[in-house]
Amino acid sequence: MDFFEAQTRAKRRTNRLVFLFALAVLGTIAASYIAAVAIVHTAGGANRHSYYEERAPLVYWDPTIFTSVALATIAIVGLASLYKWSQMRAGGSAVAELVSGRRIDPHTTDLHERRLLNVVEEMAIASGTPVPTVYVLDEEPAINAFAAGLTTSDAVVAVTRGTLEKLTRDELQGVIGHEFSHILNGDMRLNVKLAAIVFGILVIGLLGRGILEGLGRGRVRSSGDKKGGGMAVILAIGVALLLIGYVGYFFGRLIQAAVSRQREFLADASAVQFTRNPAGLSGALKKIGGYALGSTLTDKHAPEIGHFFFAQGFTSFFGGLWATHPPLGERLRAIDPRWDGQLFTPPEVVDVATESFTSAGLAGSARSLAGSPPPITREIVREGELATPDRVPFAPAAVTASIGALTEAHFRHARALLETLPAGLRNATRAADTALPLIYGLLSNGAPANRERQLALIAQHSGAAHRTATQTLLPLLADLDEAVKLPLFQLCLPALRTLDAAALARFVATLDKLVHSDAEVSPFEFALQKMLLRQLSLARASSPRAPVQFSSFQPLAADIAVVLSALARAGATEPARVSLAFAAGVGQLPLIADRLALVGAEACTLEKLDAALDRLAGAALPIKQRVLAGAAQVIGADRVVTEREADLFRAIAAAIDCPVPVLAA
C-alpha cells in the first residue's frame, strides 16, 4: 500500500470514527433524557402535575426536557473534546509529556539513548520525513513505544525505559519501524482525534464522580426545610451522571479499540518490509509476552492514549472488548506463520557496549554489520556511458512508488549516507547553537569573495559567535558529497524546533540574506529554504493541516505547468530535450493535458515555482499524487537524475507534504 492509499484509508477511518462518535453521543443523550425524566418524576413529590403521575418516566415525552438535555450533553461532550484536542494539538511533544516523557538530550552519552537516536535518524532519512524529536518514559520498566503528532513535521517518537534496556538493536529497529509506519500512514492525527473524543464522552462520568465525592466530603450542602429532598436530588443527579458517563465511556473504549486494532497488523507488516528482519519485530513481541510487566504502563494517563502504543498499554477489565491491540499470538503468527508458541524467557541482559560504533554513532548489531550497507557509488547509466558525480540512475515508477513506502534499500542507503558524515558535522546537528552555523555553512560554500560576504552577513544578522562557528565548520563541509547535504539538514530539525520565536525569526532572516547574497538562488538553496520554512511552520502551526482548497485539476493547471517546466529546464538546456522531458510529465496528467504547455524560462523561475507550490499544497491527495508522478517522469525522461533535479524534486514533495526518500537509493 503506497503513501496516498494509506492517507486515503486514514481519512475513511476518520469518517467512520465521526459516525461512531455521533452514535455514542446520541446514546448518551437518550440515557441522559431517561435519567432526567426519572429525577423530575421522583423529585416532583406531591406537587408534581397529574400528567407525571399518569405516565411512567421511561415512556414520558417532554420536548423541553429533551432539548435541554441534548444541548447540555452536546455542549459538555463537545467542550471537553475540544479541550483535550487543544492540549494535544501542540504536537507530539504534548502527548509525550502527558505520560511524563523526557526529551532525550541529543548530546546524551547514555549508550541506550544514543542507539535509539541513531535508529530514529536512520529511519527518518530513509523515509524522507523530518527527524522526529525523541522522548523516553523513564519511570516505565515495561516494553512499549508510540509515535504522536498531527503531521510528520511535529511528530515525536517515545519509548519506555524498558524498551531501551531490554531490546537488542534489531528488536528496537523493528519497534521504531512499526511506529514510523503509523507516521507515514496518517495514523497519528486519527489517534489524537480518538483520544479527544473518548475524553469528551468520559467527562460526564467525571462530573458525576465529582458530585458524589463532594457529597461524601460534605462540600455539597443544601439548606431549608427541604434539605433532605435536596440532598436526594443532588445524589440522584451525581449517580445518574456517573452511570451515564461510564456507559458512554464503555462504548467510547469500544470505538477506540475497534478503530485501532486492525492498523497494528498493517504497521507490523510495514516494519518487516522496512527492515527485512522479521526476527527483530517478533523478538520484541516475544519479550513483551515473556516479561511479567509486558507492555503495561503505570502512568494514570496511559489509558487515554492506549491506542497510540506499540502494544497494549493498560489492563482491560473487559478482556478483548477494550483491547486496543490484537493478541500477541496473532501478531506473532502474522509475522511468522511457523512460530512455535515459545516466548522469551527472562532474564537476558542486552549489553549495548558490545555493539559496534562508527564515527557517526552506533552502526548496528552483529547482524546489521554482517550485511553492512554498500558504499555510495556511481553506477553505469547507459551502455558505455558512466554516470558523473552529478548524474545518477533514476527510475520514475520506483521513485513514486517509494513515497511513504520505506524499504530495506532506503534504510541501508540512509545508514550509508550517515556513516559518511564526519563526526564534527554529525555532532553539530544536535543543538540549536551549532545547528544554525551548520546550515549557514551549507549555504556559504562558494567563491572566496562571496564566502567572506556571507560570513559578514552572518555576523551582522546572527552574531559574531555564529560567524566563528560557521567558519570552523566550512573545511568539513567543503568535501561533503552533494547527496548528503539535505539529509544533514534533516538531522538539524529537532534542534531547530527548540528555538523561541525571536531566535527563529533571526535565523530565517539570516537564511534569506545568505540565499540571496549572490543575486542567484540555486536549486539546493531553494530546496533547503523551502523545506525548512514548510516543516517548521507546520510544526508550530495551531492547525497544521489546512482544509483542501482544490479538488479539481483545472484551477491548478497553470501551477502544474510551472512545476513541470521548471524541472524540465533544470535537467536539460537543449530545447528538444526540454520539450521531450516536459511531454513525459504531461503524459501522467491526461485530464488536463490539453491545458499544459511548456512555459519560458522567465515564467518558471524559482520565485514562480515557489508561488505555484504554495497553491498546490492546498490540493487534494489524488492531485498531489499525479503531480509527483508527472514530476518524476520529467526527471526520468533521460533515465538519470542530476543533483539540481533531485533537490527540486525533494523541495516539491516537501512543499506538498509528501515524504520522498533520497532519490539515489
Side-chain angles (χ1 to χ4, degrees), residues 378-388 390-396 571-572 574 577 580-581 633-642 645:
R378 305 299 179 181
E379 304 172 18
I380 295 177
V381 181
R382 297 186 180 91
E383 186 176 353
E385 179 185 349
L386 290 176
T388 58
D390 66 335
R391 295 170 67 83
V392 295
F394 186 78
E574 301 89 339
R577 294 182 62 186
L580 182 65
Q633 289 295 332
V634 171
I635 295 174
D638 59 357
R639 295 164 50 194
V640 293
V641 56
T642 66
E645 291 171 319

Side-chain angles (χ1 to χ4, degrees), residues 254-324:
L254 289 183
I255 294 172
Q256 183 187 45
V259 170
S260 59
R261 271 197 297 261
Q262 194 58 36
R263 297 175 305 163
E264 300 305 317
F265 287 116
L266 174 61
D268 286 346
S270 296
V272 172
Q273 176 187 333
F274 295 170
T275 62
R276 284 293 185 269
N277 181 22
L281 184 62
S282 63
L285 292 172
K286 289 175 184 176
K287 284 186 177 179
I288 288 174
Y291 278 103
L293 285 173
S295 56
T296 303
L297 278 73
T298 59
D299 191 278
K300 65 180 181 180
H301 294 290
E304 288 183 39
I305 61 168
H307 53 291
F308 283 66
F309 289 106
F310 169 71
Q312 185 71 26
F314 62 93
T315 302
S316 167
F317 295 106
F318 293 94
L321 283 177
W322 277 13
T324 55

Side-chain angles (χ1 to χ4, degrees), residues 115 119 123 167-177 275 277-284 355 364-369 411 415:
R115 178 182 65 171
V119 170
M123 287 280 181
L167 300 187
T168 66
R169 192 182 201 276
D170 282 358
E171 292 163 349
L172 180 64
Q173 201 169 277
V175 171
I176 300 303
T275 62
N277 181 22
L281 184 62
S282 63
E355 295 185 321
S365 63
R367 186 205 65 82
S368 299
L369 290 174
F411 187 69
R415 185 182 296 171

Side-chain angles (χ1 to χ4, degrees), residues 154-178:
D154 68 351
V156 306
V157 170
V159 305
T160 60
R161 175 58 60 181
T163 300
L164 283 184
E165 296 178 349
K166 295 172 183 174
L167 300 187
T168 66
R169 192 182 201 276
D170 282 358
E171 292 163 349
L172 180 64
Q173 201 169 277
V175 171
I176 300 303
H178 176 104

